[in-house]
């Protein structure tokens, strides 16, 4: 299933909450010009990684502005550095259409993330939409409708408590961090094939918990083919990662084409 994207936060939030299939891209580079080009390709969202990525606040602000360029089909999401009101609020004030909050272990963690995104009386976000007010809201009720909050499931506790997390009022979706989750269930590395069966079972657990709660279920992927497979399995949104990795892969491929191994 595909959809036409208007590239607006309101349309994105509506589609995500309706569990429509969405495809996004992951950015770790502080390179607004390349992010701008990616945003015009047809992706539904571009997620900026403020946790493990190479993006400081000024780069985050510039990249969110770039995502809103003429011709963009995407909205900007931010994976925040922590489940904390300060970085969450800064990302939203800079114009993010939503946040992906890492290391959610319990339903209380999820409730705290939701509270950081919503203004009183629904939450505790401080009012100061420096840039976001030009595109999202700016009235609190409108901002609530147009801004999404996604909880990362990537730990053993998060997996064990996923049903309660998904049932958290105001949470729009869950997002699997496959590298951390694979390690959390016993993998020696982030790609350890020895835990494939347990990992796939964990994905089903998360996907079914989200479906039962009526919220979106997303997952991070290394490439488009993997994203297509996960969407076919029942995930409602999938991210392709990432600009730094793909730059290296494409550069290496061109080198091999130009100078084949002797």
């Amino acid at each position: 299933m595909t959809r036409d994207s208007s590239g607006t936060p309101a349309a994105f939030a509506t589609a995500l909450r309706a569990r429509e299939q969405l495809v996004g891209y992951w950015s770790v580079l502080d390179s607004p010009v390349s992010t701008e080009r990616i945003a015009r390709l047809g992706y539904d969202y571009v997620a900026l990684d403020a946790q493990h990525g190479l993006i400081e606040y000024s780069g985050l602000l510039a990249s969110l502005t770039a995502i809103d360029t003429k011709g963009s089909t995407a909205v900007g999401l931010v994976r925040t550095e922590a489940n904390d009101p300060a970085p969450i609020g800064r990302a939203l004030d800079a114009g993010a259409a939503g946040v992906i909050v890492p290391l959610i272990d319990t339903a209380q963690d999820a409730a705290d993330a939701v509270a950081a995104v919503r203004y009183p009386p629904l939450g505790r976000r401080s009012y100061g939409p420096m840039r976001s007010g030009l595109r999202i809201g700016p009235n609190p009720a409108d901002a609530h409708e147009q801004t999404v909050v996604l909880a990362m499931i990537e730990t053993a506790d998060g997996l064990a408590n996923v049903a309660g997390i998904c049932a958290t009022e105001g949470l729009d979706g869950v997002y699997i961090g496959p590298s951390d989750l694979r390690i959390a269930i016993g993998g020696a590395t982030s790609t350890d094939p020895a835990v494939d069966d347990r990992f796939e079972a964990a994905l089903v657990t998360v996907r079914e918990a989200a479906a039962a709660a009526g919220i979106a279920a997303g997952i991070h992927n290394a490439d488009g083919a993997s994203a297509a497979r996960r969407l076919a399995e029942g995930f409602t949104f999938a991210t392709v990662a990432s600009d730094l990795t793909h730059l290296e892969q494409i550069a290496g491929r061109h080198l091999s084409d130009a100078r084949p191994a002797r």
Side-chain angles (χ1 to χ4, degrees), residues 111 114-126 139-141 144 169:
V114 172
V117 172
R118 308 299 180 211
Y119 293 112
L122 301 181
R124 54 188 303 231
R125 178 183 173 187
S126 178
N139 294 329
H144 294 161
E169 185 176 359

Side-chain angles (χ1 to χ4, degrees), residues 45-143:
Y45 61 92
V46 177
L48 305 173
D49 189 352
Q51 183 189 27
H52 294 305
L54 309 173
I55 310 173
E56 298 292 344
Y57 180 75
S58 60
L60 194 73
L61 177 62
S63 290
L64 286 168
T65 303
I67 291 167
D68 292 339
T69 187
K70 178 181 178 182
S72 172
T73 61
V75 299
L77 303 181
V78 174
R79 196 253 292 266
T80 59
E81 60 192 76
N83 184 11
D84 181 274
I88 291 173
R90 280 166 64 83
L92 295 175
D93 288 349
V99 290
I100 303 170
V101 184
L103 300 171
I104 299 297
D105 290 333
T106 66
Q108 184 59 56
D109 287 344
D112 289 343
V114 172
V117 172
R118 308 299 180 211
Y119 293 112
L122 301 181
R124 54 188 303 231
R125 178 183 173 187
S126 178
Y127 189 82
M130 292 297 102
R131 174 174 178 270
S132 64
L134 301 175
R135 184 166 166 82
I136 300 170
N139 294 329
D142 295 329

Side-chain angles (χ1 to χ4, degrees), residues 14 23 27 38 41 44 61 63 79 99 103 134 172 174 190 192 194 198 202 235-237:
T14 297
V23 178
S27 175
I38 290 167
L41 292 175
D44 296 300
L61 177 62
S63 290
R79 196 253 292 266
V99 290
L103 300 171
L134 301 175
D172 296 302
V174 288
S190 63
D192 186 359
R198 272 180 283 168
F235 283 94
T236 65
F237 68 104

Side-chain angles (χ1 to χ4, degrees), residues 15 24 49 56 90 101 158 163 166 174 186 189 197 202 229-230 254 257 261:
D49 189 352
E56 298 292 344
R90 280 166 64 83
V101 184
C166 288
V174 288
T189 69
D197 289 346
R229 177 164 64 94
R230 296 307 186 188
H254 284 299
D257 291 343

